[in-house]
Amino acid sequence: MKNQLIKYLFFGLMAITLLHSCSIQKFIPEGERLYTGAELNLEKEGDVGQVKDVKVELTSLIEPNPNTTFLGMKPGLFFHYKAQREKPGFIYRFLNKSFGEEPVYFSEVNPERVEELILNRLDNNGFFYSKASSETILKKKRASVNYTATVEVPYTLENYQVDKDSLPIYEELTDIAKESPLSKDDRFDLDLLKAERERLDFNLKQRGYYNSNANLFIFEADTNQYKNRKFDLFLRLKKKAPKKTAIPYTIDSITVYPNYSIEGDTLPLSKQNITTINGTDFIQNEYYFKPELLETYMLFKEGDLYNANTSKITSNRLSSLGSYKYVNIQYRELDTTMANGKGGSLAADIYLAPLTKRSLRAEIQAVTKSNGFTGPGLLLTYSNRNLFHGGETLSLSTHFSYESQLSSGDNSNLSSIAWGVKGDLIFPRSIPFSPRNFRYSVPKTKISAGVDYLRRSQLFTLSSINGSFGYTWKENRYVYHQLDPISLNYSRLSNVTDEFQQILDDNPFLQRSFEQRFIAGLLYGFTYDEVSDIDKEYPIFFSTNIDLAGNLFSLIDGGSGTILGSEYAQYAKMDVDFRFYLRWDREQTLVSRVYAGWGVPYGNSETLPFVKQFFSGGPYSVRAFDIRSLGPGNFNAVADDSSTDYFDRSGNLKLEANLEYRFPIFSYLKGAFFVDAGNVWLTGNYDELENDQQNSTSSNSLFTDGKFESDWLNEVAAGFGFGLRVDIQNFVIRFDLASPFRVPSRPENDRWNVPFFGNKGNNATLNFAIGYPF
């Protein structure tokens, strides 16, 4: 019976394919044939070697491309033909606009032109004297072409050297050529020679040759010395190259305009403020930036040879100050015929246009949380740039929000009031080190302090004070560091109601996490990010954060476990985030992500502080579950106890994995399909946590009594979903709809669920967020 079914399906598919083919053929105009593509056959003459890459390159030259085929059919072409009818209907118009393709006819094909391209490309790859031919295959309404390329033995490099000449540039070229990637027995390759010219030009521009240009160099190949298809390669300047391209330039003067107006300065030079620091003139009609500080960001000085890379890095350093919207370094040729006849001179002019010094931003927010709390919020931010005339930025912000529980039941009268004040002072330099100690990017020193207040009616008041001192800097284009050697946080729980005290008494784990008032330690973050490099097809992202707290206090507290009468936290915490991006067509991306985090309390701490614990669920996590609603492990609140659902669920170990396919729909609207999985666990024996009465025999801890729980995989939550994203110049508004297909809080034999159609827990969760999830 099964074989019969497979047979019927096979013949049914064949019948659909034949009917589809007939329906396509009737649309082909008289005198035309549908072009169905071409095949390329490579024939070798002698020891040609590996030509797999060459065949791929030659195949890319075959044009035009035929219409897209799917399972032997051409749906894009079919939709196009159907939409050309007098009354095509809405469906065919939509399908044609979304997937339709213009027909490709054989009359558009030029086999002779393709043969020329194949021979030219073979010559460029060193396969000289090769041959190319073609054969046309004609059918009633279709046509295709078979191309044949007969590949000869390629020419290979024997020697590479620079011609001798009295000009100093030849000495530089000889030195640069020693590091050439070209080596003996390399096949002749025109693209490699072009890349070598670009490399030579790049290096010359770092050695003073301001007017160097890759097009000034010429390669000459000599085969007369050999009879076995080898050649010598010689490099020289073109005979008509201008003299100024062959001489190095020295920077003879540097002028900086720290307060430049794009409209131009209106005051005469005699009335402007001129300051000279180490040979560099700083001209500003109104005192804006301290010259002695600004000079430390410049990597070149008077008397240096011109260096294009140093100029670029200097421009980046000045832009990173955060005080300027416009940085432009211009060079003027002063002399190309110095007394010794071997060099020229340049004047460097640096124009810096300031940003608006002060700004005030206000944001009105509306918040809806998974626990039913909804309310308005207000955020105010004040910025003062270049505060002390050294690029410093002062940022003051305050926030206020009111939330109320709108759902019915025991929590309907709950409300929450939160406010806070934060101040950041950023110095665009590393205190106490000089900016010159860091070449690629200048570290920024950040001092922060803040106060936060949270009042939840009928429950508690939580107030906290925090402060930090640290550095941020970029090591290179991809690597970013953040180091806070001082990080302090003090929190105080007050106005505790009897109801909340009972919750704490019933849950010692939660109670212990609130008792640790002092958090003092060191934070370090490392990030390697290739995602912003649009030229990479397979970029990766990797970040890790290390958080150590309480070690200094433990040395001075005398074993009491307290500082100033308050208990402090002692723990080590680390997380790792790895992402791999597979891009094609610059519009479609497959993103895979793995995240792991683990925090270990030790010393006088039995648990991590609540604010340092891990959470799972929500728009940046496992999107099929509400924010912070997963775990730990298979934990589930007692069905008739609504108060336990009020609190975020946490753990000290977190594992997550995500897979997301992103694709364009039209214009600024993008789409995505995704699968998320993960959870949080407790790495210890926390029997005090309440378990669902139905799951009283199961565990929510990954480690119990020091033993690894082998069935932790059964406690992983998973969900599937799809999303819409409005992406306008990298500002993204995101809507993701997801549904779980594995719910760990259910009994062990009843955790699988049919997404969107099952009846185990929430069948769909709508996530609204700003920005991509990862």
Side-chain angles (χ1 to χ4, degrees):
M1 183 68 181
K2 182 178 180 181
N3 291 335
Q4 277 299 107
L5 181 59
I6 294 175
K7 186 186 296 183
Y8 289 146
L9 288 174
F10 174 76
F11 283 116
L13 182 60
M14 290 295 295
I16 293 173
T17 303
L18 290 173
L19 288 172
H20 176 271
S21 300
C22 294
S23 64
I24 290 291
Q25 289 189 21
K26 70 181 182 181
F27 290 109
I28 300 175
E30 191 68 28
E32 290 282 10
R33 287 184 172 89
L34 191 67
Y35 176 59
T36 57
E39 295 290 336
L40 174 64
N41 179 41
L42 246 60
E43 296 181 355
K44 302 179 182 180
E45 288 288 340
D47 186 13
V48 174
Q50 181 59 255
V51 293
K52 182 178 179 181
D53 293 340
V54 176
K55 184 174 182 179
V56 172
E57 189 175 350
L58 296 179
T59 303
S60 68
L61 301 174
I62 298 176
E63 55 184 21
N65 292 321
N67 290 108
T68 305
T69 301
F70 177 72
L71 296 178
M73 300 178 287
K74 300 182 183 295
L77 182 59
F78 178 76
F79 297 145
H80 170 79
Y81 280 137
K82 284 292 188 180
Q84 307 312 307
R85 298 180 301 176
E86 185 176 348
K87 295 181 179 180
F90 168 76
I91 293 178
Y92 281 119
R93 285 201 303 269
F94 171 77
L95 291 174
N96 180 48
K97 183 177 180 180
S98 302
F99 308 103
E101 295 180 353
E102 293 277 350
V104 181
Y105 296 123
F106 183 68
S107 59
E108 303 172 30
V109 180
N110 187 345
E112 291 78 13
R113 170 61 178 164
V114 174
E115 291 175 27
E116 292 177 5
L117 293 174
I118 291 175
L119 288 176
N120 179 263
R121 190 58 58 90
L122 287 171
D123 287 346
N124 291 345
N125 283 276
F127 301 98
F128 295 102
Y129 310 112
S130 296
K131 303 177 183 66
S133 60
S134 63
E135 178 188 6
T136 301
I137 301 173
L138 301 177
K139 295 183 179 180
K140 183 178 180 181
K141 286 288 188 178
R142 299 172 185 268
S144 61
V145 182
N146 288 337
Y147 294 97
T148 301
T150 304
V151 182
E152 296 286 343
V153 175
Y155 281 76
T156 56
L157 177 65
E158 184 67 19
N159 297 300
Y160 170 39
Q161 65 186 65
V162 180
D163 274 348
K164 299 297 183 181
D165 194 281
S166 60
L167 291 174
I169 192 173
Y170 279 92
E171 295 180 8
E172 300 288 354
L173 288 173
T174 301
D175 186 52
I176 297 171
K178 293 177 183 178
E179 304 296 327
S180 173
L182 299 177
S183 60
K184 185 178 179 180
D185 296 328
D186 279 352
R187 174 167 46 83
F188 179 92
D189 189 323
L190 188 60
D191 287 337
L192 289 181
L193 297 184
K194 291 179 179 178
E196 175 67 357
R197 293 201 310 175
E198 295 289 344
R199 189 187 72 86
L200 293 168
D201 174 59
F202 176 83
N203 281 275
L204 284 172
K205 282 188 167 67
Q206 319 315 317
R207 302 186 179 202
Y209 290 84
Y210 174 72
N211 286 308
S212 174
N213 190 305
N215 294 326
L216 300 173
F217 308 118
I218 188 170
F219 286 107
E220 293 178 340
D222 183 7
T223 62
N224 295 326
Q225 307 276 348
Y226 312 100
K227 296 181 180 180
N228 55 349
R229 291 184 176 253
K230 291 185 176 293
F231 68 97
D232 291 333
L233 188 65
F234 297 91
L235 170 69
R236 65 174 176 83
L237 260 64
K238 292 181 179 179
K239 293 180 180 180
K240 295 184 178 180
K243 182 179 179 180
K244 65 180 183 178
T245 62
I247 59 174
Y249 282 76
T250 302
I251 299 175
D252 279 2
S253 67
I254 304 174
T255 305
V256 183
Y257 300 88
N259 193 16
Y260 177 74
S261 172
I262 297 178
E263 290 76 20
D265 292 324
T266 57
L267 292 177
L269 188 62
S270 60
K271 294 185 178 181
Q272 294 180 351
N273 184 359
I274 302 177
T275 305
T276 302
I277 306 290
N278 294 329
T280 299
D281 293 332
F282 294 84
I283 302 176
Q284 43 192 332
N285 55 16
E286 180 182 348
Y287 189 77
Y288 180 76
F289 208 109
K290 296 177 181 178
E292 62 273 16
L293 284 179
L294 195 57
E295 190 268 341
T296 62
Y297 293 91
M298 298 169 54
L299 297 178
F300 57 85
K301 59 182 182 295
E302 184 179 333
D304 286 351
L305 283 174
Y306 167 78
N307 187 311
N309 192 48
T310 300
S311 180
K312 179 181 178 181
I313 294 177
T314 297
S315 178
N316 291 340
R317 288 160 64 93
L318 294 172
S319 298
S320 68
L321 289 174
S323 299
Y324 292 107
K325 62 182 176 182
Y326 173 86
V327 176
N328 185 19
I329 301 178
Q330 298 181 3
Y331 293 93
R332 292 179 287 115
E333 296 181 52
L334 299 178
D335 184 17
T336 58
T337 57
M338 292 177 63
N340 57 14
K342 294 184 179 180
S345 59
L346 294 173
D349 297 319
I350 304 178
Y351 300 95
L352 307 174
L355 286 162
T356 302
K357 184 173 178 60
R358 298 177 182 85
S359 64
L360 179 64
R361 184 180 67 185
E363 296 181 18
I364 299 177
Q365 304 170 336
V367 179
T368 299
K369 296 182 179 179
S370 60
N371 56 16
F373 271 70
T374 301
L378 176 65
L379 174 64
L380 295 175
T381 303
Y382 167 80
S383 296
N384 189 324
R385 300 180 180 89
N386 199 35
L387 181 64
F388 306 123
H389 301 288
E392 305 84 2
T393 300
L394 173 65
S395 178
L396 300 175
S397 62
T398 180
H399 67 87
F400 175 84
S401 64
Y402 173 81
E403 301 169 5
S404 178
Q405 175 63 266
L406 299 182
S407 61
S408 59
D410 295 338
N411 295 336
S412 58
N413 294 324
L414 293 178
S415 63
S416 173
I417 296 176
W419 61 265
V421 177
K422 183 181 180 182
D424 295 325
L425 181 58
I426 301 173
F427 298 86
R429 51 193 173 274
S430 53
I431 300 175
F433 307 105
S434 167
R436 287 197 179 93
N437 295 335
F438 303 85
R439 180 174 176 82
Y440 181 83
S441 177
V442 178
K444 294 185 177 181
T445 303
K446 183 177 180 181
I447 302 174
S448 299
V451 176
D452 289 292
Y453 173 90
L454 172 64
R455 171 60 181 166
R456 287 186 171 176
S457 65
Q458 303 179 25
L459 293 171
F460 62 85
T461 297
L462 182 65
S463 53
S464 64
I465 302 174
N466 56 78
S468 65
F469 174 87
Y471 307 96
T472 62
W473 74 97
K474 294 197 70 173
E475 181 179 336
N476 55 47
R477 183 179 180 184
Y478 303 120
V479 176
Y480 175 81
H481 300 270
Q482 179 175 351
L483 174 64
D484 289 346
I486 300 176
S487 177
L488 301 172
N489 184 286
Y490 174 80
S491 60
R492 181 172 179 269
L493 186 67
S494 60
N495 298 326
V496 176
T497 64
D498 294 339
E499 178 183 358
F500 187 65
Q501 186 61 53
Q502 185 61 50
I503 294 173
L504 294 179
D505 293 340
D506 294 340
N507 191 338
F509 172 79
L510 183 64
Q511 185 175 29
R512 290 289 298 147
S513 66
F514 275 106
E515 286 176 353
Q516 301 172 81
R517 296 181 178 181
F518 267 119
I519 303 175
L522 177 147
L523 302 175
Y524 171 72
F526 171 88
T527 301
Y528 180 85
D529 185 1
E530 297 178 341
V531 180
S532 59
D533 189 344
I534 61 175
D535 293 326
K536 284 188 175 290
E537 287 186 79
Y538 312 111
I540 64 171
F541 173 94
F542 173 81
S543 73
T544 183
N545 296 282
I546 299 173
D547 185 355
L548 303 175
N551 296 326
L552 180 61
F553 284 169
S554 67
L555 297 176
I556 62 177
D557 71 346
S560 66
T562 61
I563 289 291
L564 300 178
S566 297
E567 184 176 341
Y568 63 87
Q570 196 171 4
Y571 64 86
K573 179 183 174 184
M574 181 177 180
D575 65 68
V576 175
D577 188 346
F578 178 80
R579 310 169 194 174
F580 177 76
Y581 295 74
L582 174 60
R583 294 170 172 166
W584 62 94
D585 297 336
R586 290 186 179 270
E587 288 286 342
Q588 302 184 69
T589 307
L590 181 66
V591 188
S592 54
R593 171 181 177 262
V594 177
Y595 178 91
W598 190 11
V600 180
Y602 60 89
N604 66 304
S605 294
E606 298 177 12
T607 66
L608 289 181
F610 188 73
V611 295
K612 294 292 183 177
Q613 293 172 16
F614 294 103
F615 305 90
S616 189
Y620 300 94
S621 180
V622 185
R623 284 163 281 187
F625 296 83
D626 289 334
I627 187 170
R628 300 189 173 198
S629 66
L630 270 177
N634 58 19
F635 173 77
N636 191 9
V638 179
D640 60 356
D641 186 2
S642 59
S643 64
T644 55
D645 266 339
Y646 176 77
F647 300 102
D648 299 329
R649 302 178 190 177
S650 60
N652 66 318
L653 187 143
K654 177 178 179 178
L655 297 174
E656 282 188 358
N658 311 82
L659 185 66
E660 179 167 295
Y661 168 58
R662 299 169 184 169
F663 56 90
I665 299 178
F666 61 84
S667 187
Y668 299 113
L669 185 62
K670 316 294 181 182
F673 293 101
F674 55 85
V675 177
D676 304 322
N679 206 337
V680 293
W681 290 267
L682 299 170
T683 58
N685 189 5
Y686 296 107
D687 293 333
E688 302 91 346
L689 267 177
E690 297 178 83
N691 279 341
D692 190 332
Q693 293 173 348
Q694 299 176 2
N695 299 334
S696 58
T697 61
S698 59
S699 171
N700 52 59
S701 176
L702 192 59
F703 292 87
T704 303
D705 294 330
K707 297 180 180 179
F708 183 76
E709 290 285 347
S710 60
D711 64 343
W712 67 273
L713 192 61
N714 291 327
E715 297 176 352
V716 172
F720 165 80
F722 54 90
L724 295 175
R725 292 89 189 273
V726 180
D727 188 343
I728 303 176
Q729 296 181 349
N730 294 324
F731 176 76
V732 179
I733 300 175
R734 175 165 57 95
F735 299 90
D736 287 336
L737 185 65
S739 178
F741 60 83
R742 184 163 178 81
V743 185
S745 60
R746 305 273 310 169
E748 187 171 354
N749 61 352
D750 191 29
R751 291 176 179 173
W752 291 102
N753 184 49
V754 179
F756 297 104
F757 298 100
N759 57 0
K760 300 172 184 178
N762 293 331
N763 288 328
T765 299
L766 178 63
N767 297 274
F768 170 75
I770 302 297
Y772 287 102
F774 41 80

